[in-house]
Amino acid sequence: MRRTVFDEDHEAFRETLRAFIEAEVVPVYDEWFAQGIVPREFYYKLAELGIFGIRVDEEFGGAGIDSYKFEAVMYEETARAGVQFGGSGVHVLLGLPYIKMLATDEQKKRFLPKFVSGEEMWALAMTEPGTGSDLAGMKTTAKLSEDGSHYVLNGAKTFITGGVHADRVIVCARTDAPSAEDRRHGISLFAVDTKSEGYSVGRKLDKLGLKTSDTAELAFVDVKVPAEDLLGEENKGFYYLGHNLASERWGIAFGAYAQAKAAVRFAKEYVQDRTVFGKTVASFQNTKFELAACQAEVDAAEAVADRALEALDAGELTPAEAASAKLFCTEVAHRVIDRCLQLHGGYGFMNEYPIARLYADNRVNRIYGGTSEIMKSIIAKNMGL
C-alpha cells in the first residue's frame, strides 16, 4: 500500500539520517550498549544534524517546521538499524512541547537556543517511587519563599529517561495541597537547572531493555528554583501534563510500529540466509505463513500510526485517539517481535542479534506513557462506559 504521510523533504531527511546512523552510530553501538549509555558528546552531533531544532522557531536557531513527521522518520530509521539515540528522544518529544506551550518570551530566549545546540539537554520528571501512573499522588513539593524570589524543592523522582545527562529537567511538584473535589489540583512545573545545590542524580537504573538510554533516580533536597523558572501558571501542572500526553503517546505508538516493521525485516533477512536440513528456513511453509501474518499486522499498525501522525500535526489528536493508537500499536509490536524472534531460533536469544535487543526494548512500550490498562480505561470512558 502506498503511503501518503511523507513527502520529498522527509525522504531526503531519511537518506541523510540513514547515512549518519551508518557512519556515526552503527560502528560504536555495541560499545554504547555494553556501557549502558550514549556519550554526552553524541548529542552535539545530533544538534549539528539539526535534529533538535526542527520544530523550534527560526528566531531561536531552529527550522521552524511545525510537524512531527521528521521525528517519525527518525523512529523508523533508528528501528531499522537496530539502534537507539539514548535520552535524546525525551529532549525533543517530551521537553520541547512544554517549552513551546508554557514558556514566556523571556524563558524561550534563555532556553531554546541552548536546546537547539545541545548545550542544554532536557528531561521530564513526573514519576515518583510508589506512585506509578497515579500522578495526582505525587509527594514532591515546591514551597514559595517568603520574598517570592524562589521555590524550595524537596522530593524524589524515578524512571527518569535522560536523567543522567540532563542539564535541565521539567520537574512536577506540589505547590498546593489537593482539594477535596480534585486530587489533581496543586501541581506545578519547573525548569530545574541540574547544577543547582541539593539536586542529585542517584542510580542509573539497570533496565531490561533500552540499554543505551540513561534512566535515573533523582533527588531534591532544599533545591532553590528561581521563580522565573516556573513553567506556566501555578497549580495547573496536571492540566499541562494531560495536554501533552497525546503527543507522548503518539510517539510511543509510532516507535512501536517502527520496531515491529524492523523486526519483520530482521527475521526475513535471517530466514533467507539460515539453512536447516539442507534448506533455507524461508523455504518452509510455516516461516512464510508466520512472516505473512506479521506483515499484515505491521501494515495495520502503520495505517493507525500514520493516521495518528496526521491528526497530531493538524492539532486534532484527542486523548482517546492517542490512547487507542498506543494500545493497538504496542500490542501489535509485542506479538510481531515475539514471533520474529521465534523464527531466529536460539540465535534470537543472543544480544548480538538485533532482534534480541528489540525484544527487550519493546517491552516497556506497554508500560510507560501510561500502561495498556490505563489506555483501555481512557478508551472505555470515551465510549461512555
Side-chain angles (χ1 to χ4, degrees):
M1 291 180 287
R2 187 175 67 87
R3 298 176 80 185
T4 58
V5 70
F6 298 125
D7 61 23
E8 293 180 358
D9 290 338
H10 302 122
E11 296 307 329
F13 174 70
R14 186 188 302 280
E15 291 181 11
T16 299
L17 183 60
R18 188 173 295 182
F20 172 83
I21 291 172
E22 289 298 322
E24 300 289 345
V25 182
V26 172
V28 294
Y29 194 72
D30 285 347
E31 180 181 336
W32 294 356
F33 187 84
Q35 293 175 347
I37 197 168
V38 167
R40 177 64 175 82
E41 295 74 25
F42 174 67
Y43 294 148
Y44 290 111
K45 293 183 179 181
L46 290 179
E48 291 173 7
L49 194 63
I51 295 293
F52 299 154
I54 293 172
R55 291 191 289 111
V56 175
D57 291 343
E58 293 182 44
E59 63 179 299
F60 303 116
I65 302 173
D66 189 20
S67 172
Y68 285 82
K69 291 183 180 180
F70 291 93
E71 288 168 52
V73 171
M74 188 164 65
Y75 282 123
E76 290 186 334
E77 290 304 306
T78 51
R80 179 185 181 276
V83 301
Q84 297 277 341
F85 283 173
S88 62
V90 166
H91 179 68
V92 176
L93 184 65
L94 301 189
L96 184 57
Y98 288 99
I99 302 173
K100 293 181 68 173
M101 179 175 72
L102 302 176
T104 63
D105 290 342
E106 183 276 330
Q107 288 174 325
K108 288 178 180 178
K109 291 176 183 178
R110 278 196 293 131
F111 296 151
L112 286 175
K114 293 180 180 180
F115 181 99
V116 172
S117 69
E119 184 178 345
E120 281 191 352
M121 295 299 296
W122 287 62
L124 176 64
M126 294 190 289
T127 307
E128 296 183 0
T131 62
S133 297
D134 181 21
L135 297 179
M138 68 176 63
K139 300 293 191 291
T140 296
T141 60
K143 302 295 185 183
L144 186 63
S145 62
E146 291 186 4
D147 62 5
S149 65
H150 65 273
Y151 291 81
V152 179
L153 182 66
N154 283 284
K157 300 290 182 178
T158 192
F159 306 146
I160 308 307
T161 302
V164 174
H165 283 325
D167 303 288
R168 285 265 178 187
V169 176
I170 300 173
V171 177
C172 312
R174 283 210 163 276
T175 44
D176 195 8
S179 67
E181 298 79 19
D182 189 359
R183 293 177 62 242
R184 300 170 295 181
H185 169 79
I187 295 171
S188 301
L189 308 184
F190 299 89
V192 179
D193 186 341
T194 63
K195 297 185 296 295
S196 302
E197 184 177 352
Y199 180 105
S200 63
V201 178
R203 293 184 301 149
K204 182 173 75 67
L205 300 174
D206 184 16
K207 307 184 298 298
L208 171 68
L210 301 178
K211 289 292 188 179
T212 62
S213 178
D214 53 313
T215 304
E217 296 174 329
L218 306 179
F220 322 109
V221 180
D222 293 334
V223 177
K224 291 184 178 180
V225 181
E228 56 267 27
D229 286 346
L230 171 71
L231 285 174
E233 297 182 38
E234 262 195 9
N235 302 325
K236 292 190 176 181
F238 199 96
Y239 164 77
Y240 300 142
L241 294 172
H243 184 274
N244 284 329
L245 276 174
S247 61
E248 178 183 354
R249 286 167 179 164
W250 163 80
I252 298 169
F254 205 95
Y257 140 71
Q259 289 176 324
K261 182 177 181 178
V264 173
R265 174 174 175 264
F266 296 147
K268 179 182 175 182
E269 291 176 351
Y270 179 82
V271 299
Q272 288 176 326
D273 290 338
R274 175 71 168 163
T275 59
V276 294
F277 308 120
K279 301 168 61 177
T280 64
V281 176
S283 67
F284 291 92
Q285 186 182 65
N286 179 68
T287 302
K288 295 176 183 179
F289 281 6
E290 282 293 287
L291 283 177
C294 287
Q295 183 61 55
E297 291 219 72
V298 169
D299 287 344
E302 180 179 88
V304 170
D306 284 356
R307 185 181 69 174
L309 172 56
E310 294 283 22
L312 181 63
D313 268 10
E316 299 173 354
L317 184 64
T318 68
E321 289 169 342
S324 179
K326 180 183 184 294
L327 177 65
F328 183 77
C329 291
T330 56
E331 294 292 341
V332 165
H334 162 64
R335 292 192 297 269
V336 167
I337 294 171
D338 183 75
R339 294 167 83 171
C340 288
L341 186 150
Q342 188 73 16
L343 289 173
H344 282 70
Y347 290 104
F349 205 64
M350 301 297 114
N351 273 328
E352 64 185 279
Y353 283 80
I355 192 68
R357 300 179 183 183
L358 193 58
Y359 182 86
D361 290 347
N362 169 74
R363 185 59 186 88
V364 75
N365 289 332
R366 291 180 288 148
I367 298 174
Y368 67 3
T371 64
S372 291
E373 291 73 24
I374 295 293
M375 299 304 100
K376 292 174 183 176
S377 295
I378 294 170
I379 297 165
K381 183 177 180 180
N382 187 65
M383 295 169 65
L385 298 174

